[in-house]
Structures are given as C-alpha cells and as structure tokens.
Amino acid sequence: IWGDWKPGDHWMYSNIGAIICGTIIEKVTNIRFDQYIKQNIFEPLEMKNVAFSYSNFNKSHELANLYEKNKDTNEYKVSIDDVRQSGYSKTYWDQYIIGNHGGLFEPQGGLRTTAVELSKFLRAHMLNGSLNGQQILEQKTSKFMTSIQWSREENNHFFSKMGLGFHISHDFLPRYKEM
C-alpha cells in the first residue's frame, strides 16, 4: 500500500483511502459511517433499497450475485453469497467506538443496491450534487469530485483518469465525460 514515492508522483489503486475517509466522517460527525450516509445521502435521495449490510437489504431478490467459472468443469458458481449472511442483533454495535474503524461499514465498495437506486445517486452527481430539490453536495464539491484529479498519458486504459471516487473516461462516448 505504501510507496517509496512522493504524494502525487505515482498512483496505485487501493481501498485504504475510502476506509480512512469513512473513519474521518465518523470522527468529525460523531455518527457511525453507515448511519451518516443513510441520513445524508440515501434518505434525501429517497434511496430505500440500499444497505452496507446484506442483512439490512429490503429486496434481496433484486440483487445480482457475483459468479465465477470453474475452469475444470466449465460450470459457474456463486463466489460471494451474501444471501446467507445473517443479520446483526440489535445490540451488536453497542460497543462500537465511533471513529475507531470506519472500514467495518465497507465505504471501500461494500454498498449493496439495485440499478434503479444507484441511478438516483449518479443522477445527483450529474446534476451537480442535487436531485429532486435535495442538495446532497455543494455544486463546487460535486464538480471537484468529477473533475480529473489524476491522469496518466496512456489512452484507452481503464485507470487513465480519476476524479475523487470516479473513473473518468471519454473512451465510450467521445464527446461526453463518463463516470
């Protein structure tokens, strides 16, 4: 994870930044990461079928499973089976110390949702942080997140341009910025 280069000289994919961000959100707000995101993003955007824990997901039949192919048998099997995940008891998080480990709530990519719910979040970003009269980010922040923060000279590479949490590409629709 840690490199021998100066910040900004080299880029490497890592989830640790999102985990640190989740912990900072907890420290600053004194609210658990998952609860903060629910109150400040999911509820204002009316994202009802979304959760960081599969056990809290309302409509599990709408989720897709991740499959992998067995090279020996040519059969596919579910590689991550969240359906079997059991729910936490009501007192499970009572001993959790806010700001101690934001990664437990999977800010690095553990969100479970449907395409319809995810589209609400993406539309809010496309509309500079606002959807249906609900401003979840300042316009300036939204524009900053979707502007190029890092790039490499190679073209047509998945990680050639990055915003803050967004891959930015012109590869599929040349006249449009895609996230």
Side-chain angles (χ1 to χ4, degrees):
I1 298 173
W2 315 113
D4 294 333
W5 51 84
K6 289 191 272 181
D9 285 352
H10 186 79
W11 184 86
M12 179 180 287
Y13 183 84
S14 173
N15 287 335
I16 192 100
I19 294 169
I20 292 170
C21 186
T23 302
I24 290 170
I25 287 171
E26 289 189 351
K27 284 279 195 187
V28 170
T29 65
N30 202 34
I31 301 171
R32 258 184 23 209
F33 174 79
D34 61 327
Q35 294 171 344
Y36 179 85
I37 298 301
K38 180 180 178 184
Q39 292 169 17
N40 292 279
I41 296 176
F42 301 158
E43 289 175 354
L45 296 180
E46 297 180 17
M47 295 174 68
K48 294 179 173 69
N49 204 14
V50 60
F52 283 99
S53 170
Y54 192 88
S55 60
N56 294 333
F57 202 78
N58 296 328
K59 298 177 182 174
S60 60
H61 66 280
E62 293 183 4
L63 283 177
N65 287 313
L66 181 62
Y67 289 85
E68 65 182 278
K69 186 175 183 178
N70 182 321
K71 292 177 184 176
D72 297 329
T73 64
N74 274 344
E75 294 177 347
Y76 289 90
K77 69 173 188 164
V78 175
S79 61
I80 297 177
D81 188 0
D82 282 336
V83 176
R84 298 179 199 271
Q85 181 183 2
S86 61
Y88 297 114
S89 69
K90 291 187 180 208
T91 60
Y92 184 83
W93 296 109
D94 287 355
Q95 301 302 313
Y96 176 73
I97 300 169
I98 291 174
N100 190 43
H101 191 339
L104 292 175
F105 304 102
E106 303 185 62
Q108 72 278 16
L111 183 67
R112 279 83 168 165
T113 191
T114 66
V116 171
E117 298 296 336
L118 182 59
S119 73
K120 294 174 185 178
F121 177 75
L122 294 175
R123 284 173 45 218
H125 276 284
M126 291 168 64
L127 297 170
N128 296 318
S130 177
L131 182 66
N132 298 329
Q134 295 294 316
Q135 192 77 38
I136 62 166
L137 291 171
E138 292 182 21
Q139 287 187 11
K140 182 173 124 180
T141 303
S142 181
K143 287 179 181 179
F144 186 68
M145 290 177 69
T146 57
S147 66
I148 297 170
Q149 303 296 318
W150 176 89
S151 66
R152 68 166 83 181
E153 292 186 22
E154 296 174 49
N155 288 328
N156 300 321
H157 188 277
F158 184 66
F159 288 118
S160 62
K161 295 179 185 94
M162 293 289 299
L164 298 177
F166 293 98
H167 299 280
I168 299 171
S169 172
H170 300 281
D171 299 339
F172 303 109
L173 299 169
R175 287 186 284 234
Y176 300 93
K177 178 176 70 175
E178 299 136 20
M179 298 183 292

